[in-house]
Amino acid sequence: MEKTELRLCMIGFGNAAVAFCQLLLKKLPDIEENYGLKILLTGIAGRSKGSLLNSQGIDLGTLLKAVAATGKLSQKCEELLDCSTEKLIDQCDADVLLELSSLSIMDGQPAISYIEKALAKGLHVITANKGPIAWDFDRLSKLAESHSRIFLFETTVMDGTPIFNLVRETLPGCKVLSFKGILNSTTNFILEEMEHGNSYESAVKEAQRRGFAEADPSLDVDGWDAAAKTAAIANVLLKAGLRPTDVDRTGIAGISSEDIKAAQKNQQKIKLLCEGYIENNQAVGSVRPVLLDRNDLFSNIDATSSILTITTDLMGELSIIEKDPEIQQTAYGIYSDLLKLMQLLHPGRHNGCTS
Amino acid sequence: MEKTELRLCMIGFGNAAVAFCQLLLKKLPDIEENYGLKILLTGIAGRSKGSLLNSQGIDLGTLLKAVAATGKLSQKCEELLDCSTEKLIDQCDADVLLELSSLSIMDGQPAISYIEKALAKGLHVITANKGPIAWDFDRLSKLAESHSRIFLFETTVMDGTPIFNLVRETLPGCKVLSFKGILNSTTNFILEEMEHGNSYESAVKEAQRRGFAEADPSLDVDGWDAAAKTAAIANVLLKAGLRPTDVDRTGIAGISSEDIKAAQKNQQKIKLLCEGYIENNQAVGSVRPVLLDRNDLFSNIDATSSILTITTDLMGELSIIEKDPEIQQTAYGIYSDLLKLMQLLHPGRHNGCTS
């Protein structure tokens, strides 16, 4: 019998997960119409909001109202679960794991172990967490293949902007030779604030005030976030097998107001550039501040926007730019992976065209 | 029995077709390995080079050598055909029409009628000619559907840069609300030359000398090429049903050196902007020179590079940029459509991943 349900289990219930649930709630009728599938969210493992398990499907509208009102997952008439995430993956009887837990940039855990567990249990996996892709992409994608499961991760770099799908779906037969990008919005914002005459310290504070930078900004300003993204892209597009710690990394903490002024005098800007390429049959990743001419394309990537440029064997040089993303773009990324998954599982049901 | 051959018929044998044949010749072993298909080119209708028909498949290596040496298609041991293109489509016993004929910007003909004929005869169609998409996309795509044939056209705007596939394949469930772009390289080059102090007349001559502009440059400088591209994008991405003549069109012939200098004084540039959007439930297309701040992304699209920015309902604003394309990028576009066609015809044979 043809399947008519798709059951989801969600790990992590932060801003992106909430925005995804809001989008999903709106799109449930479209999905049922276009793919003939009813989506059921059967389990959620939040970090601070508690966990929830309901084999009949959690009512999304009720869930979102409860979380907005109380900050917690608890819902009347549903089974509240107080157990480990592993136990939830075991018990939620789902088809798909949505791995949306917080990034642990220094090892990709525990997200990697959640993905392993889900694949072994026969779940397809969608992750928005760059940790697993930056640390362990090759092994996880082979594991997915060995279990004949689908493993999707478009949201891990540049939110829902298609960078991995751009290459996989729209550049068939084309090989990526190298890439460069501006991929960390916090440092890009700080450098721009400094161009406006603010000191490094006050620029960091402004980024914190606006919610771009964490209380401890070191993961951004020391280039760790950019290095994780560089490793993730290199692993997928260059089959590099890099880890974030393999990326040659210089942050922006050493950039002074004088450096910025000197650059401006020369009609230049300082940007934190991520690069990946192959040298002597070896993948190389690097993150470092560079001086760019003011009329260089990369000089005009503002504040929280991002750019990725790929150089290919057959299609020359292509760039894709995401402008001023909000949390909705992250939610869309997860949603687009979910639609892609449904297309792959049921290729006959929908032609993949936009509607 | 599973098909093991894919037979192509090619209309037009200009630079792009030659570059495509060169690429195809190199890739024949890959295609056979990855898709289990032997590609046979069974017919070519050139405009000035003659026509060729060979139901056993034209030898690509011999063909390319003959054309390089003589400028003609004639090959020993193969049937030289002196007949109309229509007759060739009838007789070539092909599975796929590659419609690569010259653009007729004022009506899209005779390309449209070749496509109609091929679809009616049961051929799939790949075109690199923007005329049919700019003039008659809606009808032709419905015609293809009614014959259960595949109709692909990625190369018609921005060469092989995926713009139509970007939306169709990588932004599922996402609706394009509007777009803007710099899409005509000749005018972009002329405006840049004028920024360097050259007069309009000498910039046009330089564009002609380098082969960007035709002897009669009016199709470019009067905005007709840009209007055709605007209509094509609007028809596919906005379902607009526009024709090039419906696009509100102002070219660059009225731009003087004084205009350029005044813009430079204000830290601005003049660019020929293409736009498409919906207003009062009606699709609108426009092409016109605009003043842009020097640090606007669009100001830094150089010479022969192109940019397309789309605004979407779920994924905000995305831009894709093609840098300094050569004829190889056009060839790749046709090749990528051919691979896409094979994936659609034989979905089990290849996963669409790059190799």
Side-chain angles (χ1 to χ4, degrees):
Chain A
M1 210 183 73
E2 271 285 280
K3 268 196 86 125
T4 56
E5 274 181 12
L6 193 72
R7 301 164 69 86
L8 314 180
C9 171
M10 189 184 279
I11 308 297
F13 203 70
N15 293 340
V18 170
F20 166 73
C21 285
Q22 287 166 341
L23 177 59
L24 184 63
L25 177 59
K26 246 188 284 181
K27 296 291 183 181
L28 287 175
D30 285 8
I31 294 174
E32 204 157 347
E33 193 187 321
N34 287 322
Y35 297 88
L37 285 171
K38 200 172 160 178
I39 303 287
L40 294 182
L41 180 60
T42 59
I44 305 175
R47 194 178 44 169
S48 56
K49 298 189 184 77
S51 295
L52 206 56
L53 186 71
N54 185 331
S55 62
Q56 304 303 306
I58 296 161
D59 182 81
L60 285 175
T62 313
L63 171 78
L64 289 165
K65 267 183 218 155
V67 170
T70 68
K72 295 278 172 191
L73 289 179
S74 56
Q75 282 187 276
K76 274 181 204 158
C77 313
E78 285 179 350
E79 189 180 340
L80 185 64
L81 191 86
D82 186 20
C83 72
S84 71
T85 300
E86 281 82 359
K87 212 165 153 189
L88 185 94
I89 298 173
D90 252 344
Q91 297 190 353
C92 69
D93 187 26
D95 304 299
V96 185
L97 180 77
L98 300 181
E99 206 297 305
L100 312 177
S101 71
S102 312
L103 171 65
S104 169
I105 213 159
M106 297 315 290
D107 60 5
Q109 291 291 6
I112 291 171
S113 72
Y114 298 153
I115 293 172
E116 285 177 296
K117 184 167 184 63
L119 291 172
K121 224 186 123 56
L123 279 71
H124 305 289
V125 173
I126 292 171
T127 185
N129 186 326
K130 64 180 145 314
I133 311 302
W135 283 95
D136 219 359
F137 169 70
D138 192 45
R139 195 177 61 86
L140 290 173
S141 59
K142 283 184 181 135
L143 192 66
E145 214 181 314
S146 75
H147 289 286
S148 302
R149 297 295 91 180
I150 295 165
F151 179 38
L152 299 174
F153 45 82
E154 186 59 84
T155 322
T156 56
V157 182
M158 286 176 78
D159 313 305
T161 304
I163 59 169
F164 302 124
N165 286 330
L166 180 79
V167 175
R168 188 170 50 197
E169 306 287 343
T170 76
L171 295 171
C174 206
K175 193 173 171 172
V176 177
L177 305 174
S178 65
F179 66 86
K180 59 181 182 170
I182 296 177
L183 301 171
N184 178 270
S185 54
T186 306
T187 49
N188 207 42
F189 175 82
I190 291 170
L191 291 169
E192 198 171 288
E193 286 288 296
M194 291 174 76
E195 283 162 19
H196 298 152
N198 295 316
S199 69
Y200 174 78
E201 289 74 21
S202 74
V204 170
K205 271 189 196 136
E206 180 61 18
Q208 286 167 329
R209 197 185 65 77
R210 297 208 196 177
F212 307 145
E214 303 291 322
D216 171 8
S218 60
L219 289 184
D220 287 314
V221 299
D222 292 343
W224 279 112
D225 176 79
K229 287 168 173 161
T230 301
I233 297 173
N235 290 344
V236 179
L237 298 188
L238 301 179
K239 305 186 199 319
L242 287 183
R243 292 162 303 173
T245 41
D246 297 327
V247 173
D248 187 18
R249 178 183 49 77
T250 309
I252 63 158
I255 308 283
S256 67
S257 293
E258 285 65 42
D259 296 330
I260 299 281
K261 273 182 208 147
Q264 286 178 318
K265 204 173 272 177
N266 291 327
Q267 307 286 318
Q268 290 179 312
K269 290 192 180 191
I270 298 177
K271 293 283 187 186
L272 188 66
L273 188 73
C274 302
E275 288 179 288
Y277 51 92
I278 306 289
E279 199 172 60
N280 304 323
N281 288 318
Q282 189 73 37
V284 179
S286 97
V287 170
R288 65 198 163 100
V290 293
L291 277 169
L292 298 173
D293 282 345
R294 211 176 112 178
N295 55 6
D296 187 298
L297 195 60
F298 275 51
S299 282
N300 296 289
I301 302 304
D302 300 332
T304 60
S305 299
S306 302
I307 184 169
L308 180 71
T309 297
I310 55 172
T311 302
T312 68
D313 59 345
L314 300 180
M315 195 35 228
E317 193 180 305
L318 289 179
S319 303
I320 189 158
I321 295 167
E322 178 183 37
K323 190 166 164 67
D324 302 334
E326 305 282 343
I327 197 74
Q328 284 73 24
Q329 275 73 61
T330 311
Y332 172 71
I334 304 163
Y335 177 67
S336 78
D337 270 352
L338 183 63
L339 295 188
K340 177 63 70 183
L341 180 81
M342 291 189 281
Q343 290 170 12
L344 291 168
L345 290 175
H346 306 285
R349 293 200 192 168
H350 196 261
N351 63 6
C353 287
T354 55
S355 62
Chain B
M1 210 183 75
E2 272 284 281
K3 269 199 83 130
T4 56
E5 273 182 15
L6 193 72
R7 300 164 71 85
L8 314 181
C9 171
M10 190 183 277
I11 308 296
F13 204 70
N15 292 340
V18 170
F20 167 73
C21 286
Q22 287 166 340
L23 177 59
L24 184 63
L25 177 59
K26 246 187 284 179
K27 295 292 182 181
L28 287 174
D30 285 8
I31 294 175
E32 204 157 346
E33 193 187 321
N34 288 322
Y35 298 88
L37 285 170
K38 201 172 159 176
I39 303 288
L40 293 182
L41 180 60
T42 60
I44 305 176
R47 194 179 44 171
S48 56
K49 298 188 184 78
S51 294
L52 206 57
L53 185 72
N54 185 331
S55 62
Q56 304 304 304
I58 296 159
D59 182 82
L60 286 175
T62 314
L63 171 77
L64 289 166
K65 267 183 220 156
V67 170
T70 69
K72 295 277 173 193
L73 290 179
S74 56
Q75 283 186 277
K76 274 183 205 158
C77 313
E78 286 179 351
E79 188 180 339
L80 185 65
L81 191 86
D82 186 20
C83 72
S84 71
T85 300
E86 282 82 0
K87 211 165 155 191
L88 185 94
I89 297 174
D90 251 344
Q91 298 190 352
C92 68
D93 186 26
D95 305 299
V96 184
L97 179 77
L98 300 181
E99 206 297 305
L100 312 177
S101 72
S102 310
L103 171 65
S104 169
I105 212 159
M106 296 316 289
D107 60 5
Q109 291 291 6
I112 291 172
S113 72
Y114 297 153
I115 293 173
E116 284 177 297
K117 184 166 184 65
L119 290 172
K121 224 185 123 56
L123 278 72
H124 304 289
V125 173
I126 291 171
T127 184
N129 186 328
K130 64 180 145 312
I133 311 300
W135 283 96
D136 219 0
F137 170 69
D138 192 43
R139 194 178 62 85
L140 290 173
S141 58
K142 282 184 182 135
L143 191 67
E145 214 180 316
S146 74
H147 288 287
S148 302
R149 296 295 93 181
I150 295 165
F151 179 38
L152 299 174
F153 44 83
E154 186 59 83
T155 322
T156 56
V157 182
M158 286 176 77
D159 313 304
T161 303
I163 60 169
F164 303 125
N165 286 329
L166 181 78
V167 174
R168 188 170 50 195
E169 306 287 342
T170 77
L171 295 172
C174 207
K175 192 172 174 175
V176 177
L177 305 175
S178 66
F179 67 85
K180 57 182 184 170
I182 297 176
L183 301 170
N184 178 269
S185 54
T186 305
T187 49
N188 208 42
F189 175 82
I190 290 170
L191 291 169
E192 196 171 289
E193 285 289 296
M194 291 173 75
E195 283 163 19
H196 298 154
N198 296 316
S199 69
Y200 174 79
E201 290 73 21
S202 74
V204 170
K205 271 189 194 137
E206 180 61 18
Q208 287 167 330
R209 198 185 64 78
R210 297 208 196 178
F212 307 145
E214 303 292 322
D216 172 8
S218 60
L219 289 185
D220 287 314
V221 299
D222 293 343
W224 278 112
D225 176 79
K229 286 169 174 161
T230 302
I233 297 173
N235 290 345
V236 180
L237 297 188
L238 302 180
K239 306 185 197 318
L242 288 182
R243 294 161 303 173
T245 41
D246 297 326
V247 173
D248 186 19
R249 180 184 47 78
T250 308
I252 65 159
I255 308 284
S256 67
S257 293
E258 286 65 41
D259 296 329
I260 299 279
K261 273 182 209 146
Q264 286 177 317
K265 205 173 270 177
N266 291 326
Q267 307 286 319
Q268 290 179 313
K269 290 192 180 192
I270 298 176
K271 292 283 186 185
L272 188 66
L273 189 72
C274 302
E275 287 178 288
Y277 51 93
I278 306 289
E279 199 172 60
N280 305 325
N281 289 319
Q282 190 71 38
V284 179
S286 99
V287 170
R288 65 198 163 99
V290 294
L291 278 168
L292 298 173
D293 283 344
R294 210 177 113 178
N295 55 7
D296 187 298
L297 194 60
F298 276 51
S299 281
N300 296 288
I301 302 304
D302 300 332
T304 60
S305 298
S306 302
I307 184 169
L308 180 71
T309 296
I310 56 173
T311 302
T312 68
D313 60 345
L314 300 180
M315 195 37 228
E317 192 179 305
L318 289 180
S319 303
I320 189 159
I321 296 167
E322 178 182 37
K323 191 167 164 64
D324 302 333
E326 305 282 343
I327 197 73
Q328 284 73 25
Q329 275 73 61
T330 311
Y332 172 72
I334 304 162
Y335 177 66
S336 78
D337 271 351
L338 183 63
L339 295 188
K340 175 65 69 183
L341 180 81
M342 291 190 280
Q343 289 170 13
L344 290 169
L345 290 175
H346 306 285
R349 293 199 190 170
H350 196 259
N351 62 6
C353 287
T354 55
S355 61

